[in-house]
Amino acid sequence: MIAALIFYMFAALTVGSAVMVISARNPVNSVLFLILCFFNAAGLFLLLGAEFLAMVLVVVYVGAVAVLFLFVVMMLDINFLKLREGFLQYLPTGAVVGLVLLVELATLFGGWAFAPDVEALVRSPMPPVAEVSNTEALGRLLYTTYAYLFQASGLVLLVAMVGTILLTLRRREGVRKQVIADQVARTAKNSVEIVKVPTGGGI
Amino acid sequence: MVDLLSGLLPAEIWRLVVIVLQILAIVLPLLVAVAYLTYAERKVIGAIQLRKGPNVVGPLGLLQPLADGAKLFLKETILPTGANKVVFLVAPMLTFILALIAWAVIPFDEGWVLADINVGVLYLFAISSLGVYGIIMSGWASNSKYAFLGGLRSAAQMVSYEVSMGLVMISVLISAGSLNLSDIVLRQKETIWYVIPHFPMFIIYVVSILAETNRAPFDLPESESELVAGYNVEYSAMTFALFFLGEYANMILMSGICVVLFLGGWLAVPGLEWLPIPGVIWFALKICAILFIFLWVRATFPRYRYDQLMRLGWKIFLPFSLLWLVLTSGVLVAFGWLPGQG
């Protein structure tokens, strides 16, 4: 009974905050609702017994991705009146995009069926939950059966990272920067020079 | 007595009551600890600077935290014009709540833990990664330049240091072979306190928790010489007090995590097991030792510059902790010390 109530609470909050993400006027509020949405989705994972996924969802999406969203959105300087001005102008385009998505969803759900062996799959989780914890089970699958896919996704992330660094790297001439190696390498010998100054002569 | 009461109430409600009592048993001592941590901070820094510190209210100034609390409680909460009121008020509550709920998985002694979950380390990591929201929300909602700058600084800083903290935790947990905090401590009982094999990681972790809790020398989000008080500049009275309590509770929490991961949690110091000291006291003593480092550092080091802070996090700690992780796994596999392989 209590579990069902908690499920409905999480589910309702997830859907409600998802609606608020697109309907909130202020983009910062949108991102805050998105965070609430992620959080409740993590709660749903917990109810399913998938504690590892729940925690990773919070760590990755709420703790890192959404922080960057919030970071960017807060820096935007948006004039809300201007934002609402073009509403009628963009309405047809938006409506067409929405319609296409709706049709796609309808076809997807129309042709959707459960896999024939789904009952058996659900009944026999691999490996049994009672013996192996959730995290361990995922790790065993990920590093054995799906090791190549796992490595491939790692490579994709690496490429994305290199690309980002390449895009943002720029060399500017004439900018004085702190080079710590140079500072550490300096000794009294090569930085202090004792000069005998003749009176009135200067250096 | 307990049987009598449990007979009167339905089992589920009785369980709920027990959990609430357990939560109170954690939160109340924690709040007292927070109050006296502020006192200890002023006393320690006073001693380091050859001053007396608080000594007027009560004997040795011991009632000073209560006086401070009463003052903050009785003052007026000011809502700045142009502030986003809901977010402005939610932010301090969030900071405070997050600092409290993480304690659910900390083992105080063998079996003394509110929620003995299998993903304890991940839970702590998740909660500490949420801590940034209180600060960034308060910085934005205050509608003030200083607060906003403080919030942005803190967001970048906390996200950066979490990465190396995560890698440090992974090094420890592959040595222990479990994500459960009690198991990590028990594993240290069987083998060795992880501060010895993972000593460089211990150093990185202690420095990272200074950055993660926005404490000196990494207190850039509230550096008073440039940002007045940073993210909490617009806050007064209880809203400010919640930030303050949250920051200090976070310090205690991070020290607690550090003790569990590296200093053997509730275990007695090797060689002193014969002393009749309960585990929870050992745990508290070790936390106090780490907290003393917090205060000592604050009184000793000047504030980092922001680019130096970022350099330290991304260019030194991150590669080094990654290297250490590879090294740890290599050693564990090479010597057959991986937990679970016998």
Side-chain angles (χ1 to χ4, degrees), chain A residues 44-86:
Chain A
L44 288 176
F45 270 130
L46 266 187
L47 287 182
L48 285 173
E51 71 248 13
F52 182 78
L53 283 181
M55 292 304 156
V56 168
L57 185 73
V58 173
V59 171
V60 175
Y61 280 92
V62 183
V65 176
V67 172
L68 297 182
F69 275 5
L70 203 59
F71 204 99
V72 173
V73 168
M74 278 179 180
M75 306 270 258
L76 296 176
D77 193 16
I78 298 173
N79 188 342
F80 293 109
L81 282 179
K82 257 200 176 143
L83 208 64
R84 271 173 237 159
E85 257 174 15

Side-chain angles (χ1 to χ4, degrees), chain A residues 16-120:
Chain A
S17 49
V19 169
M20 287 305 288
V21 173
I22 47 172
S23 62
R25 286 273 161 83
N26 192 331
V28 173
N29 287 350
S30 279
V31 177
L32 291 177
F33 276 114
L34 183 68
I35 292 159
L36 188 65
C37 186
F38 282 145
F39 209 77
N40 285 298
L44 288 176
F45 270 130
L46 266 187
L47 287 182
L48 285 173
E51 71 248 13
F52 182 78
L53 283 181
M55 292 304 156
V56 168
L57 185 73
V58 173
V59 171
V60 175
Y61 280 92
V62 183
V65 176
V67 172
L68 297 182
F69 275 5
L70 203 59
F71 204 99
V72 173
V73 168
M74 278 179 180
M75 306 270 258
L76 296 176
D77 193 16
I78 298 173
N79 188 342
F80 293 109
L81 282 179
K82 257 200 176 143
L83 208 64
R84 271 173 237 159
E85 257 174 15
F87 182 71
L88 277 179
Q89 192 186 337
Y90 295 118
L91 190 63
T93 329
V96 168
V97 172
L99 200 69
V100 169
L101 281 177
L102 190 70
V103 170
E104 280 178 355
L105 272 181
T107 41
L108 192 71
F109 277 105
W112 193 36
F114 283 110
D117 53 346
V118 72
E119 290 260 314

Side-chain angles (χ1 to χ4, degrees), chain B residues 26-339:
Chain B
I26 293 175
V27 169
L28 292 181
L30 180 67
L31 289 180
V32 174
V34 166
Y36 279 91
L37 177 58
T38 64
Y39 171 79
E41 174 167 37
R42 294 169 69 180
K43 273 289 187 194
V44 167
I45 293 180
I48 290 175
Q49 296 170 346
L50 302 179
R51 295 183 286 112
K52 276 185 178 160
N55 64 347
V56 176
V57 189
L60 296 171
L62 273 171
L63 296 178
Q64 183 70 42
L66 301 182
D68 287 343
K71 180 198 78 174
L72 284 170
F73 193 72
L74 293 173
K75 281 202 167 183
E76 182 192 354
T77 303
I78 297 166
L79 284 173
T81 21
N84 187 324
K85 291 201 175 53
V86 178
V87 181
F88 186 82
L89 290 176
V90 166
M93 295 180 206
L94 192 71
T95 305
F96 184 59
I97 291 170
L98 287 175
L100 293 187
I101 59 173
W103 284 92
V105 295
I106 301 277
F108 294 90
D109 201 339
E110 194 157 1
W112 284 30
V113 51
L114 183 63
D116 194 17
I117 58 175
N118 277 329
V119 286
V121 174
L122 276 174
Y123 174 81
L124 284 177
F125 197 58
I127 298 299
S128 75
S129 70
L130 292 181
V132 64
Y133 282 112
I135 291 175
I136 197 171
M137 277 162 70
S138 65
W140 176 76
S142 300
N143 195 24
S144 147
K145 285 189 183 65
Y146 293 124
F148 189 54
L149 281 172
L152 290 183
R153 276 186 180 186
S154 144
Q157 173 179 337
M158 290 169 89
V159 169
S160 305
Y161 277 82
E162 250 153 40
V163 183
S164 53
M165 269 173 71
L167 286 170
V168 171
M169 283 182 180
I170 295 175
S171 291
V172 168
L173 65 91
I174 58 170
S175 315
S178 173
L179 285 164
N180 184 318
L181 291 164
S182 301
D183 285 353
I184 290 176
V185 174
L186 289 174
R187 179 84 186 159
Q188 293 182 64
K189 192 177 186 178
E190 289 165 24
T191 54
I192 190 167
W193 287 14
Y194 289 140
V195 66
I196 297 167
H198 290 300
F199 187 68
M201 290 298 102
F202 176 68
I203 301 288
I204 287 188
Y205 195 80
V206 171
V207 178
S208 295
I209 61 179
L210 290 176
E212 185 74 10
T213 49
N214 299 320
R215 293 287 300 178
F218 306 114
D219 55 345
L220 288 139
E222 48 184 308
S223 50
E224 58 279 334
S225 51
E226 16 179 327
L227 292 184
V228 193
Y231 62 90
N232 60 23
V233 66
E234 301 290 344
Y235 284 86
S236 57
M238 273 323 275
T239 49
F240 173 76
L242 286 179
F243 271 122
F244 202 70
L245 289 172
E247 180 182 332
Y248 281 79
N250 252 329
M251 281 166 65
I252 304 179
L253 171 73
M254 288 294 172
S255 311
I257 299 173
C258 189
V259 166
V260 168
L261 292 181
F262 291 101
L263 297 175
W266 66 80
L267 303 176
V269 175
L272 293 178
E273 288 90 350
W274 52 272
L275 282 175
I277 298 176
V280 61
I281 301 288
W282 278 119
F283 187 64
L285 283 176
K286 289 173 189 171
I287 288 183
C288 290
I290 303 277
L291 283 173
F292 181 74
I293 296 178
F294 270 89
L295 310 181
W296 192 12
V297 165
R298 178 170 173 197
T300 318
F301 285 98
R303 187 177 296 126
Y304 254 53
R305 214 173 56 208
Y306 201 70
D307 60 314
Q308 291 172 332
L309 172 89
M310 284 296 158
R311 180 177 172 276
L312 184 71
W314 287 105
K315 293 191 179 171
I316 298 172
F317 282 3
L318 180 62
F320 188 63
S321 49
L322 202 57
L323 177 81
W324 192 266
L325 176 60
V326 174
L327 193 74
T328 311
S329 5
V331 167
L332 286 175
V333 171
F335 291 91
W337 289 342
L338 266 184

